[in-house]
């Protein structure tokens, strides 16, 4: 079974330099709701073109609006040899600091 964490646990993720938090929502969604500080933006629609820039030695925590798209991206990353964790609940379940575009 694929690994997951709750949305509010995501703040601890970025404290480890071997972890990368990625937000897979589209830009208009980030503009609407903001994003978790430290998150990198890789829209789901272009995640395949982002693969060459990702480091297989890192652990990727994948976040979206509610956790459904991030689970799909998590499985895609796992299938391609990356260590990936789904952030359950997504930005809707997150109750911490937010950055805005």
């Amino acid at each position: 079974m694929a690994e997951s964490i709750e949305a509010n646990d995501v703040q601890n993720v970025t404290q480890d330099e071997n972890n990368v938090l990625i937000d897979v929502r589209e830009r208009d969604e980030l503009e609407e709701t903001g994003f978790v500080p430290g998150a990198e933006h890789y829209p789901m629609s272009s995640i395949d073109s982002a693969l060459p820039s990702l480091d297989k030695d890192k652990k990727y925590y994948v976040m979206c609006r509610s956790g459904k798209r991030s689970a799909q991206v998590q499985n895609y990353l796992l299938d391609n040899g990356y260590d990936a964790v789904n952030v359950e609940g997504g930005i809707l379940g997150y109750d911490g600091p937010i950055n805005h575009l």
Side-chain angles (χ1 to χ4, degrees), residues 23-94:
D23 194 316
V24 298
R25 295 176 296 147
E26 299 301 317
R27 182 174 176 84
D28 61 325
E29 293 176 278
L30 297 182
E31 290 172 354
E32 181 180 317
T33 61
F35 57 95
V36 176
E40 296 183 14
H41 183 223
Y42 293 101
M44 182 177 178
S45 62
S46 60
I47 194 68
D48 57 333
S49 62
L51 282 185
S53 67
L54 302 181
D55 183 348
K56 288 194 175 180
D57 293 329
K58 303 275 185 182
K59 187 170 194 172
Y60 292 92
Y61 288 79
V62 188
M63 187 173 205
C64 67
R65 182 176 179 271
S66 66
K68 291 179 177 56
R69 284 178 286 175
S70 56
Q72 292 175 321
V73 172
Q74 174 196 24
N75 287 325
Y76 180 74
L77 291 173
L78 291 169
D79 289 347
N80 283 279
Y82 296 88
D83 191 2
V85 178
N86 184 37
V87 178
E88 299 254 348
I91 198 73
L92 293 178
Y94 175 73

